[in-house]
Amino acid sequence: MVNFLIFGPPGSGKGTQSVRLAEKFNLLHLSTGDMLRAEIAAGTELGKRMSAIMAKGELVPDEVVIEMIASKIDGAKGYAGFLYDGFPRTVAQAVALEKMLNQRGMKIDCMLVLEVDRDELVKRLVLRAEQSGRPDDKDPAVIDNRIEVYREKTEPIISYFKEKGIYQPVNGVGEIEDIFHRLSDIVVKYLN
Ligand code: B4P
């Protein structure tokens, strides 16, 4: 099993590209954002507690998402690999993921990093708010906070993994299809 991380600030297109990559390369798409939104939609106790945190643009507690990912990895069969979307988001989550994979005889093989400037991110999220109605996209102050939280808590993971030689930066600006080709060209190398 090959383990890919797709990484980048909010609105960089992680979710958009992950769906396509998962389909093309038979990867299990693991989006912690989608898992959390599913809990909220189902009205679970966990969902109720997490929705207030997410609506402010803050990160949910590490242990919540680590537990979610572990339960998905175990029992997954028939895939060429895993694609982690929006996880890890803190160095603590990165360390937990490495440990979880090591215990199962795997490692993180590749970190795809979508690079998109701030103005483009805000533009995309404002547009998405109109279409999807996601509460965390509606308020510009919340979007700013999510970008800040990314810079402060998530971006340090890049240097942590750069030292491990798995860092693969990708230009995330342009047509969705073109970005998909840039990513696919890297992914295919790990699967052959
Ligand atoms: P996520 O669900 O991960 O969402 P995101 O970072 O906002 O978006 P993404 O980068 O996937 O962008 P997308 O493809 O949709 O997180 C939401 C919240 O969940 C977090 O703020 C946090 O509270 C919580 N959370 C999730 N995981 C967590 C974790 N591990 N730990 C703690 N908390 C966690 O693209 C955005 C928009 O741009 C779309 O409308 C898309 O159509 C558009 N777009 C994409 N590519 C484009 C392109 N090339 N050109 C133009 N538009 C494009």
Side-chain angles (χ1 to χ4, degrees):
M1 285 283 219
V2 186
N3 286 273
F4 297 94
L5 306 184
I6 187 155
F7 207 82
S12 56
K14 302 182 294 286
T16 304
Q17 298 294 339
S18 293
V19 171
R20 290 157 187 256
L21 290 168
E23 196 191 348
K24 178 167 180 183
F25 296 106
N26 184 31
L27 305 173
L28 178 61
H29 176 202
L30 296 163
S31 161
T32 41
D34 287 351
M35 292 175 206
L36 291 164
R37 282 185 289 274
E39 293 284 337
I40 295 171
T44 64
E45 269 313 307
L46 179 72
K48 282 179 197 150
R49 280 191 282 125
M50 297 308 119
S51 76
I53 301 174
M54 291 169 71
K56 284 189 275 182
E58 297 293 331
L59 297 179
V60 309
D62 289 336
E63 56 277 15
V64 170
V65 286
I66 291 165
E67 184 59 36
M68 282 177 162
I69 290 285
S71 71
K72 296 278 180 189
I73 294 179
D74 295 327
K77 286 200 173 64
Y79 293 98
F82 294 118
L83 177 60
Y84 304 89
D85 161 14
F87 177 86
R89 258 184 160 93
T90 62
V91 172
Q93 291 180 20
V95 172
L97 178 62
E98 280 187 308
K99 191 172 157 207
M100 204 187 299
L101 293 178
N102 290 344
Q103 284 166 346
R104 291 159 175 82
M106 297 187 280
K107 62 180 172 41
I108 301 167
D109 298 284
C110 172
M111 177 192 210
L112 301 157
V113 182
L114 288 169
E115 297 183 330
V116 179
D117 59 83
R118 193 185 180 109
D119 288 352
E120 174 70 15
L121 296 175
V122 175
K123 206 167 80 187
R124 287 182 191 178
L125 293 176
V126 167
L127 194 68
R128 183 170 69 183
E130 291 167 14
Q131 294 154 359
S132 76
R134 255 176 65 170
D136 56 345
D137 289 339
K138 275 189 190 143
D139 182 347
V142 172
I143 294 179
D144 279 347
N145 189 39
R146 283 160 63 198
I147 296 173
E148 274 321 302
V149 168
Y150 173 80
R151 301 277 174 236
E152 192 192 316
K153 298 195 172 145
T154 308
E155 217 167 39
I157 302 175
I158 296 181
S159 5
Y160 178 76
F161 282 129
K162 252 186 190 167
E163 289 164 18
K164 297 177 188 260
I166 61 168
Y167 170 72
Q168 297 276 5
V170 174
N171 177 4
V173 181
E175 295 296 323
I176 289 173
E177 203 53 31
D178 293 338
I179 299 164
F180 177 59
H181 287 303
R182 288 173 207 152
L183 291 164
S184 296
D185 287 347
I186 300 172
V187 168
V188 77
K189 289 186 197 149
Y190 287 85
L191 294 172
N192 286 332

